[in-house]
Amino acid sequence: SRRQQTRIGGGGLVCERRQRGRRASTMEGARAVKQASRKAAALAQRREEQPETESYRLAPETGAPRAAACVPGASPETETPKTLEAGERYAAFVGDTPLVELTHMVASRRNPFVRVFAKCEMFNPGFSIKDRIVQNILDKAEAEGRLRAGMTVVAASSGNTGASTAMMCAMRGYKCIITTSPKCSKEKMDAIRAYGAQLLVSPSGAKEGEPSHYMEMARLLALENPNLYFDMDQYETQSNPEGHYLTLGPEIWEQTTGSITHFVAAGSTGGTISGTGRYLKEMNPRVNCVLADPVGSIFTNYFRKGEIGTPDKFLVEGVGKGSIPGAMNFDLIDDVLPVTDQEAFNMCHRLAREEGICAGGSSGLNVHAALQLATELSEPAIIVTVMPDLGVKYLSKVYNSEWLVENGFDAPAEVDILTEASLRTAEAEAEADANDSGAESLPSSATDLSGPSSLPECQIHADLADSPLPKVDAYHYRDLVGDTPLVDLSHLVDNTRCRVRVLAKCEFFNPGYSIKDRIVQNILNKAEAAGRLRKGMIVVAASSGNTGASTAMMCAMRGYKCIITTSPKCSKEKMDAIRAYGAQLLVSPSGAKEGEPSHYMEMARLLALENPNLYFDMDQYETQSNPEGHYLTLGPEIWEQTTGSITHFVAAGSTGGTISGTGRYLKEMNSDVRVVLGDPVGSIFTEYFRSGTLSKPGAFLVEGVGKGSIPGRHEL
């Protein structure tokens, strides 16, 4: 019932099940002990909070689990139970991030035995690498009694540590104050406030060491009242690099099967390169640790000359520094590669527009340094870097052309697919491909859910067939769709009448950070396999946002031009994300009604209708490939993760694909599963379900759910 995924091996492409994320670790030593004790403690806490009393009985005619009846006033089942094990809470998903291959991005292939990989740290619960250190700092402080109930946690941060600290304080019940600089992006500031933390921003121009500097603000708060405030002190505490020593280092060692030769990472606190580097060098002293450093930071000069020097301005966030933090260990660093802001930002746009990876500025800096190193090596090498966070946090800066130009940077070219010259080129490519006898036909794997393989990447792995390098446990970014974690929210339920468990699938752990990756992948795969989508064609998609972003991402991966049509209701963040992937965005006028030519759904349909040989319409509202995407992936995952014990599936609908496809699979497995549609007030679905009549839609502002008409694939 699980789909097959493509795992990258040293001698080619090896197809096997992807067990990314929450698989049991086989590591020995400190990490294994730490993980085992953490999981045991979490499980004990869950059982203490909610005893394992929920009962299930097996349906004798099918062997499928059936839920015990539960109505107001009913007594719980007392027959021999089939108990669902207590689920994991959200904090349990820190670490075990996927490793993706970027070897095909290396500019020069003079040395075919160099491979480049990156850890996708945006797959942590707080969407950044900083979850690792925040968890370790808080765990140790609580264990040692330095952080106690009632205290307020303070943290100085350029953004990610602040957001992670705010998130984990929300989980643990602590009040939280984050201090930051004006350089911090608006998105990261908003995220910090969203978790309920107080945010203090230092004045512009404040120097390190001055009381008004954000690092001093946090330190002085804790210094003045140590019994009330606990300072995270990420720049000095050894719990910072230890967090990476216990998790990131062992993960990289395991995923590369001990074959890593170079680790590349930028530093601000120094925790990532010091903690990870220490572990890797303990496992193999010949591993080289290379510090990627923004031009303007003092680290390069300090490493080369032993002098601190004067820092200069740089705008990449979360890396580089104007002083030497106590968490940074230069004894572990073998070399430094300076990277300019322009090089870092260019790489961000290249990752988004060519690879479908929307990553932050520090990710662009790290990847640029890793690819540069790959061109300089003459011996076989396995280079691993990290992508610390996601690009959604920098839409107002790195992915904003106006901001780039205002700060003196080159902005990527604006996308306008509908120009006459662009359309002529696309038509010629599409016509040539349509007339092709099959020399460039899709590989047989195109019908698999993992998607068609990129020919350049396959060629690279063919070159590696005789390589002395061993297999690496890594993926292409497109292969990370699905297998999202299931978290337990039962503690949020106040129900004394019945024993109820509530669990939720975290679909933002998909590559495009939404559930829509599942249907977009399936629609494109089937269209390519059937020959309805060919090289040179332009993909068009009508979307309230998430399908548009996912379509833009996957078109970037596959090399298609892309046009997304949407409504003014779509959030600015989703619009910016769509543009970041290199798609053209068309917004319908405010007040356009469904069925009118100016409505965003009609705009996409009419484009494809007028020239079906040039445009491919995703048609998410009508195509059967939409619910099928969930039937083939989400349904089986939920069934497996609940060990077949699910009794109710609850989901909102817009196209209806999620609830229809998933519900269909679950009901086929057990006809007693109840499928419940969550519907925003103002949508027509509720009235249509209850009375069979189409009412006039009302106003509602929740995006991506509800509708004013009945989509063809909504199986009400």
Side-chain angles (χ1 to χ4, degrees):
S1 64
R2 298 284 295 277
R3 68 200 183 289
Q4 301 295 303
Q5 289 286 4
T6 303
R7 176 171 291 175
I8 304 165
L13 297 176
V14 182
C15 189
E16 58 183 69
R17 281 188 178 179
R18 177 165 65 88
Q19 300 292 348
R20 170 181 63 82
R22 316 310 152 197
R23 62 187 184 279
S25 175
T26 57
M27 291 183 185
E28 300 176 356
R31 181 182 178 227
V33 173
K34 178 178 181 289
Q35 286 187 328
S37 60
R38 186 175 72 188
K39 186 172 182 180
L43 205 56
Q45 180 183 3
R46 290 289 303 115
R47 287 171 174 164
E48 184 178 46
E49 292 174 354
Q50 182 176 355
E52 294 181 7
T53 53
E54 183 165 8
S55 301
Y56 296 85
R57 64 172 182 262
L58 292 176
E61 66 275 16
T62 62
R66 179 176 295 168
C70 182
V71 294
S75 298
E77 286 288 333
T78 55
E79 299 175 19
T80 304
K82 180 181 184 296
T83 305
L84 180 65
E85 184 180 352
E88 289 184 290
R89 298 279 280 271
Y90 192 58
F93 297 106
V94 175
D96 289 331
T97 53
L99 188 71
V100 298
E101 179 148 21
L102 301 177
T103 305
H104 53 282
M105 296 185 71
V106 178
S108 170
R109 296 300 302 163
R110 288 176 300 176
N111 181 354
F113 302 134
V114 173
R115 300 178 69 187
V116 180
F117 301 88
K119 284 280 276 180
C120 296
E121 290 298 291
M122 66 282 283
F123 280 80
N124 279 298
F127 312 115
S128 89
I129 195 171
K130 295 297 188 177
D131 289 0
R132 297 177 183 270
I133 69 165
V134 170
Q135 186 176 66
N136 194 57
I137 292 171
L138 293 179
D139 284 349
K140 291 200 71 174
E142 287 176 333
E144 295 168 1
R146 294 181 290 114
L147 174 57
R148 304 174 298 278
M151 294 183 71
T152 298
V153 175
V154 295
S157 166
S158 57
N160 279 329
T161 301
S164 182
T165 300
M167 175 190 72
M168 292 199 180
C169 283
M171 294 174 177
R172 300 180 188 219
Y174 296 113
K175 291 181 179 178
C176 179
I177 298 174
I178 304 299
T179 63
T180 192
S181 77
K183 182 177 168 180
C184 179
S185 73
K186 180 182 182 296
E187 292 85 350
K188 286 192 282 190
M189 290 187 186
D190 289 344
I192 289 167
R193 294 188 181 102
Y195 290 118
Q198 182 180 356
L199 183 66
L200 304 177
V201 183
S202 64
S204 182
K207 300 287 193 300
E208 287 190 31
E210 296 178 352
S212 59
H213 190 268
Y214 75 98
M215 291 169 62
E216 280 297 287
M217 290 164 64
R219 189 184 71 83
L220 292 174
L221 270 176
L223 192 65
E224 290 166 5
N225 198 336
N227 292 321
L228 177 60
Y229 296 105
F230 169 75
D231 185 7
M232 291 289 290
D233 193 23
Q234 63 162 327
Y235 297 96
E236 300 299 323
T237 178
Q238 290 306 304
S239 296
N240 175 345
E242 183 186 59
H244 296 293
Y245 177 86
L246 293 172
T247 63
L248 185 58
E251 286 173 32
I252 291 173
W253 184 258
E254 180 185 22
Q255 287 170 313
T256 61
T257 59
S259 62
I260 179 174
T261 60
H262 297 76
F263 177 63
V264 179
S268 175
T269 67
T272 303
I273 196 161
S274 299
T276 310
R278 178 184 155 209
Y279 180 89
L280 295 174
K281 283 180 176 289
E282 285 181 4
M283 299 303 290
N284 179 5
R286 291 178 294 177
V287 171
N288 274 265
C289 292
V290 180
L291 177 69
D293 196 36
V295 172
S297 165
I298 67 166
F299 292 157
T300 299
N301 193 61
Y302 183 78
F303 175 81
R304 292 175 175 173
K305 300 180 180 179
E307 302 171 355
I308 292 180
T310 303
D312 201 354
K313 180 182 177 181
F314 57 94
L315 293 179
V316 179
E317 294 182 34
V319 290
K321 210 70 193 155
S323 60
I324 306 297
M328 172 75 88
N329 186 350
F330 275 91
D331 291 338
L332 296 166
I333 297 173
D334 298 290
D335 199 3
V336 174
L337 287 177
V339 180
T340 67
D341 283 341
Q342 184 73 70
E343 289 170 330
F345 297 153
N346 285 351
M347 185 55 66
C348 287
H349 288 280
R350 187 181 170 197
L351 284 167
R353 295 190 175 198
E354 295 180 15
E355 304 300 312
I357 303 174
C358 187
S362 59
S363 300
L365 185 140
N366 282 343
V367 172
H368 177 91
L371 296 179
Q372 177 183 331
L373 177 64
T375 64
E376 298 172 356
L377 298 176
S378 58
E379 298 295 323
I382 297 287
I383 302 170
V384 177
T385 189
V386 292
M387 293 189 286
D389 65 354
L390 72 170
V392 173
K393 299 180 180 184
Y394 308 91
L395 293 174
S396 64
K397 290 189 172 184
V398 177
Y399 296 97
N400 184 314
S401 295
E402 291 181 5
W403 182 87
L404 290 171
V405 172
E406 285 173 4
N407 286 277
F409 302 115
D410 295 331
E414 291 295 324
V415 176
D416 189 356
I417 297 169
L418 295 175
T419 63
E420 187 175 345
S422 180
L423 290 177
R424 278 201 305 267
T425 301
E427 286 175 344
E429 290 178 354
E431 184 178 354
D433 193 71
N435 296 331
D436 198 315
S437 61
E440 294 186 27
S441 59
L442 288 169
S444 59
S445 62
T447 55
D448 296 339
L449 285 172
S450 57
S453 300
S454 166
L455 292 175
E457 292 165 13
C458 291
Q459 183 59 51
I460 286 171
H461 292 293
D463 292 341
L464 289 166
D466 299 320
S467 169
L469 300 175
K471 177 182 175 183
V472 175
D473 182 12
Y475 308 90
H476 294 306
Y477 194 66
R478 64 172 178 264
D479 295 327
L480 301 177
V481 176
D483 285 337
T484 53
L486 188 71
V487 298
D488 199 334
L489 301 178
S490 304
H491 55 286
L492 297 175
V493 177
D494 182 15
N495 187 346
T496 58
R497 301 172 302 176
C498 189
R499 298 180 179 95
V500 177
R501 298 282 303 286
V502 179
L503 305 116
K505 284 280 277 180
C506 297
E507 288 298 289
F508 37 78
F509 276 84
N510 278 299
Y513 317 117
S514 90
I515 195 171
K516 295 297 189 176
D517 289 1
R518 296 177 183 270
I519 70 164
V520 171
Q521 185 181 65
N522 195 54
I523 292 171
L524 293 179
N525 284 346
K526 293 200 72 176
E528 288 176 331
R532 292 182 288 112
L533 175 57
R534 303 175 301 279
K535 177 183 175 183
M537 292 184 70
I538 298 168
V539 176
V540 294
S543 167
S544 58
N546 281 330
T547 302
S550 182
T551 301
M553 174 191 73
M554 292 198 180
C555 284
M557 294 174 178
R558 301 178 186 224
Y560 296 114
K561 293 179 179 178
C562 178
I563 298 173
I564 305 298
T565 64
T566 192
S567 76
K569 182 177 168 182
C570 179
S571 72
K572 182 179 184 299
E573 292 84 357
K574 286 192 279 192
M575 290 187 187
D576 289 344
I578 289 167
R579 293 188 181 101
Y581 290 117
Q584 183 172 357
L585 184 67
L586 304 178
V587 183
S588 63
S590 182
K593 301 287 192 303
E594 288 191 30
E596 295 178 354
S598 60
H599 189 268
Y600 74 97
M601 291 169 62
E602 279 296 287
M603 290 164 65
R605 189 183 72 83
L606 292 174
L607 271 175
L609 193 63
E610 290 167 4
N611 196 337
N613 291 322
L614 178 60
Y615 296 103
F616 169 76
D617 184 5
M618 291 290 290
D619 193 22
Q620 63 164 326
Y621 298 97
E622 301 298 324
T623 178
Q624 183 60 38
S625 298
N626 176 342
E628 183 186 60
H630 296 293
Y631 177 86
L632 293 172
T633 63
L634 186 58
E637 287 174 32
I638 291 173
W639 184 259
E640 179 181 2
Q641 288 171 313
T642 62
T643 60
S645 59
I646 180 174
T647 62
H648 297 73
F649 176 63
V650 181
S654 174
T655 66
T658 303
I659 198 161
S660 301
T662 311
R664 176 181 158 210
Y665 179 90
L666 295 174
K667 282 181 176 287
E668 285 182 4
M669 298 303 291
N670 178 3
S671 59
D672 289 338
V673 171
R674 302 269 294 174
V675 176
V676 181
L677 177 69
D679 196 37
V681 174
S683 166
I684 68 167
F685 293 156
T686 299
E687 184 63 28
Y688 184 78
F689 175 81
R690 291 174 175 171
S691 67
T693 59
L694 291 174
S695 58
K696 183 179 179 181
F700 58 95
L701 295 178
V702 178
E703 295 180 31
V705 292
K707 209 71 192 159
S709 61
I710 305 296
R713 295 308 171 188
H714 204 320
E715 299 180 38
L716 285 164

